[in-house]
Amino acid sequence: MSDNNPLLQDWDTPYGLPPFDRLLVSHFEPALLLAMEQHRGELALIGHRKGEATFDNTVAAFDRAGSLLARVAATFYNLTASATGPELQKVQMAMAGPMAAHSSAVYMDQRVFKRLDAVHTQRAGLGFSAEQLRLVERLHLDFVRAGARLAPAQQARYAQVMGQLAKATTRFGQNVLHDESNWHLPLLTEADMAGLPDFVRNSARQAATERGVHGAIITLARSLIVPFLTFSQRRDLREQAWRAWVSRGEHAGEHDNREVARDILRLRNEQARLHGHKSYADHALTDTMAGQHTQVQQLLGEVWPRALAAVERERQALLEAMAAEGQTGEIESWDWRFWAEKVRRAKYALDDAEVKPYFELGRVALAAFDCAQRLFGLSFTHRADIPVYHPDVKAYEVRNAAGAVCGIFLQDNFARPNKRSGAWMSNLRWQHRNGAGDGDGAQLPVILNNNNFARGSAGEPTLLSLDDARTLFHEFGHGLHGLLSDVTYERLSGTQVLRDFVELPSQIFEHWIGETEVLKQHARHWQTNEPIPNELIARLNRARQFNQGYETVRYTASAIVDMAAHELTDAEPPADLCAFEAQVLQQHGLPSGVGLNHRLVHFQHLFASSGYAAGYYVYLWAEVLDADGYDAFKEAGSPFDTTVAQRLLKHIYSSGNSVEPGAAFAAFRGRAPRVEPLLKKRGLLQSA
Ligand SMILES: [Zn+2]
């Protein structure tokens, strides 16, 4: 079988990329099964080894194990995200169970854990390098957090809890999807469309076609409901749409999420107790930069009252706009976006049609490459001979300041029907120097960026909004975190860092697309080549802080509710979760008119998987780091200051998870992070 399955042969392509042109969907299942078997064989060799456990024969060997599985699985997951289809989806469904079971079997392997535990116990006296020490501690924690240290009876219960959690979170997501796909607001007459710009009308017609109904409809998809609430002049319809949006998951019957969310909280509490923690937040936060929930509460506490003050200032501006149109009364949750948009237009006169011609996609990509060159000395060369999985994908050879090839970068910028939505960074290979076999064991990173920009029509350029350009820079920042990685062990490479640190390299990179120097050089009109006018840059800069009180209150309220729900220590969650949520918000004084659009009954970040449970705060946490970190360049007097850039490269972009994140930030910044730059960036420092 392996004789004619290209996934299992040596990849004889430039830089050993997957031989995409020879891959068939039918190759994946047998290759994944064989690669898992090979991984188990490698782990059995580690576990059954005679003699003392050492760093080399246990820790480094574990890090090295599973390399075939890593490369086949990375190829598989990138295709399921960016170039999927019914056949591949079938394989994905069929392999989900075996892949998950393989992963738990790896971390429940008692023989391997016993040897790892022995090295871990003696680690202080073995003369390890700092990175070796970090790897021992990281792998040990991976095992412990997966339940390796529990007694056999507890382990059996733990596996049950995790199995039930997987089912409940899947159910939760499916219930939200059900409520989203079963509601729409028909726009029957021109009067129903009042105020809607062409792009909303087009999307509403498109949505009707997709649902097989006549005319135009508003659905609960973010890309439709948010513009509708922003532009519709029909207050009655805005109210209907808002109420439907915030009641997802809260309808009696078979798709009711109220009990499902309680089940998830109960199971998580038990999971935490099995680990010896009082609450799920305690358990989740022990493996974060924040470390404890008091740290998270402190940050939320710094931001919340200032955001409330800013919201009150913004409310006054909205009331003035209402008065100017002869309207009086309260601003309700379904009104805020509508009046805010009126104020925004009046104050900044910003229109996408004026901005977009300065952000042609190819130029924005070049701007990102140029910033990486000026900061870190990287150069990007397009290589048409490197195999890619779709003609849209561009492959680049990346060289470092010394001229040596340091990685391969694949950029896939366009939306396609068989590609998931959103923007993300992923990898085909992580950088490391712990490879097996011949050579020096060094592996070059192969990193991908996916965006979902709508391609310009035939013969027209693809023009981006400033938000789109910022997204490209954001993902490119994650990409650099993968490409610049310079560590020995694969587990510590690239973006495999703690979840409240991982958005620092991406969010800090967004700052450069806003720099006047970068804009004047790269934001040029696609027809005339004229640089973007200073006056337009000034308006864009001023508009950045607009409505930030509202945005910050909405976000922070969701983070507060997340922490409150996961800090509960009782085994049994509150009988009425909606009442609990209302009580938390009332205690914190959520202003009327703002409204919560991530309610617990449909908050997929928290309940459709466990990735962000007790972790919705991470974006704000990382923003503290990026705002304060970027100030180092301002203090040095240049966005490309060489000394600061070198520190950023050494301590943040290249160190992966080889250094504790607090220490890494302090080494870069010369001190612990401060919250003021974030408050200033969001315009929250003015007094009320
Ligand atoms: Zn990100």
Side-chain angles (χ1 to χ4, degrees), residues 474-475 478 502-503 506-507 619:
H474 178 101
E475 297 309 332
H478 283 307
V502 72
E503 297 298 330
S506 53
Q507 290 181 181
Y619 301 97

Side-chain angles (χ1 to χ4, degrees), residues 114-397:
K114 208 174 154 202
R115 293 178 66 84
L116 178 63
D117 196 42
V119 179
H120 184 258
T121 305
Q122 304 164 57
R123 67 192 185 281
L126 294 176
F128 290 162
S129 72
E131 192 184 338
Q132 288 175 321
L133 200 57
R134 182 92 183 147
L135 180 67
V136 172
E137 290 174 352
R138 180 67 259 173
L139 291 181
H140 193 263
L141 195 58
D142 287 344
F143 272 83
V144 169
R145 291 182 73 80
R149 208 158 52 181
L150 302 177
Q154 286 181 313
Q155 260 183 359
R157 178 59 194 155
Y158 195 81
Q160 274 176 352
V161 168
M162 298 312 284
Q164 287 171 17
L165 260 177
K167 274 190 212 147
T169 50
T170 306
R171 172 102 186 273
F172 186 95
Q174 286 174 354
N175 286 347
V176 176
L177 191 64
H178 171 271
D179 283 5
E180 286 178 353
S181 47
N182 277 271
W183 184 92
H184 68 252
L185 174 71
L187 303 178
L188 300 171
T189 61
E190 178 54 34
D192 292 346
M193 303 257 211
L196 300 183
D198 283 345
F199 84 93
V200 184
R201 291 169 184 237
N202 290 340
S203 310
R205 276 190 284 267
Q206 175 73 23
T209 310
E210 281 166 15
R211 294 251 175 122
V213 292
H214 190 67
I217 60 170
I218 296 303
T219 70
L220 298 177
R222 252 197 108 74
S223 55
L224 213 43
I225 179 91
V226 172
F228 183 75
L229 293 168
T230 306
F231 295 107
S232 172
Q233 290 172 359
R234 286 285 300 273
R235 190 174 194 227
D236 57 332
L237 298 185
R238 292 203 308 265
E239 179 176 353
Q240 276 185 44
W242 171 270
R243 289 191 186 280
W245 197 29
V246 299
S247 64
R248 287 168 296 155
E250 199 189 359
H251 303 290
E254 93 181 279
H255 298 284
D256 193 342
N257 263 341
R258 284 173 288 194
E259 282 309 308
V260 183
R262 292 185 71 236
D263 289 343
I264 293 172
L265 287 175
R266 191 183 302 110
L267 289 163
R268 284 184 181 153
N269 186 271
E270 187 176 353
Q271 182 193 357
R273 282 162 185 261
L274 283 165
H275 281 297
H277 293 292
K278 285 203 184 83
S279 72
Y280 185 78
D282 285 320
H283 172 63
L285 287 160
T286 48
D287 197 22
T288 61
M289 186 176 173
Q292 315 167 2
H293 44 117
T294 48
Q295 297 296 110
V296 176
Q297 296 295 6
Q298 192 182 330
L299 172 60
L300 299 177
E302 293 262 15
V303 169
W304 183 250
R306 293 181 169 92
L308 290 182
V311 148
E312 282 319 306
R313 291 194 294 273
E314 289 165 12
R315 181 195 305 282
Q316 290 314 313
L318 304 199
L319 288 170
E320 281 164 30
M322 282 172 73
E325 296 202 11
Q327 299 214 25
T328 53
E330 283 297 299
I331 297 172
E332 300 289 351
S333 308
W334 47 89
D335 298 324
W336 193 287
R337 287 179 169 85
F338 176 76
W339 291 105
E341 175 61 17
K342 295 215 171 221
V343 174
R344 191 181 80 95
R345 289 201 153 234
K347 253 179 133 169
Y348 309 105
L350 272 177
D351 186 343
D352 265 2
E354 185 189 4
V355 178
K356 281 181 156 187
Y358 295 99
F359 294 93
E360 187 270 315
L361 172 60
R363 288 181 183 241
V364 176
L366 283 180
F369 292 167
D370 184 48
C371 289
Q373 206 278 323
R374 295 181 69 183
L375 290 163
F376 309 125
L378 294 184
S379 60
F380 291 76
T381 311
H382 183 222
R383 285 271 307 253
D385 59 323
I386 292 178
V388 293
Y389 54 86
H390 189 279
D392 283 354
V393 184
K394 280 191 169 178
Y396 299 87
E397 183 182 79

Side-chain angles (χ1 to χ4, degrees), residues 411-614:
Q411 202 174 33
D412 181 354
N413 282 324
F414 294 110
R416 290 188 299 271
N418 286 336
K419 180 170 164 179
R420 79 172 225 230
S421 60
W424 65 95
M425 170 270 199
S426 61
N427 72 308
L428 281 165
R429 280 200 314 248
W430 292 120
Q431 176 276 335
H432 67 80
R433 291 186 286 273
N434 186 33
D438 314 333
D440 57 2
Q443 176 164 284
L444 286 177
V446 180
I447 301 297
L448 293 92
N449 269 181
N450 271 275
N451 291 296
N452 261 291
F453 303 133
R455 194 196 308 269
S457 32
E460 296 288 312
T462 297
L463 301 178
L464 305 185
S465 67
L466 183 54
D467 276 347
D468 288 340
R470 207 171 274 129
T471 300
L472 186 145
F473 268 63
H474 178 101
E475 297 309 332
F476 190 67
H478 283 307
L480 291 175
H481 200 190
L483 289 166
L484 290 165
S485 177
D486 184 13
V487 300
T488 306
Y489 302 104
E490 183 164 9
R491 175 64 183 87
L492 305 177
S493 180
T495 58
Q496 301 177 93
V497 295
L498 301 187
R499 69 180 179 188
D500 48 3
F501 187 74
V502 72
E503 297 298 330
L504 166 59
S506 53
Q507 290 181 181
I508 199 170
F509 206 76
E510 291 177 37
H511 289 262
W512 277 279
I513 187 62
E515 276 297 337
T516 302
E517 190 179 337
V518 175
L519 289 170
K520 292 305 275 189
Q521 190 182 346
H522 295 285
R524 290 171 177 271
H525 198 286
W526 70 278
Q527 283 163 311
T528 64
N529 205 36
E530 282 298 310
I532 186 169
N534 292 337
E535 178 276 329
L536 181 51
I537 294 178
R539 261 188 293 148
L540 286 168
N541 283 339
R542 278 207 313 277
R544 280 216 74 182
Q545 289 185 349
F546 175 71
N547 213 31
Q548 282 295 305
Y550 174 76
E551 295 298 343
T552 309
V553 164
R554 271 193 330 113
Y555 167 86
T556 311
S558 292
I560 286 170
V561 171
D562 167 29
M563 290 308 293
H566 287 106
E567 277 173 358
L568 295 168
T569 52
D570 291 346
E572 187 61 20
D576 183 343
L577 216 49
C578 296
F580 168 79
E581 174 182 79
Q583 188 197 345
V584 170
L585 292 171
Q586 202 212 343
Q587 278 166 0
H588 282 81
L590 178 74
S592 68
V594 174
L596 192 69
N597 65 293
H598 290 307
R599 297 194 42 235
L600 288 174
V601 281
H602 51 247
F603 203 169
Q604 306 215 58
H605 264 81
L606 310 193
F607 293 120
S609 72
S610 291
Y612 286 87

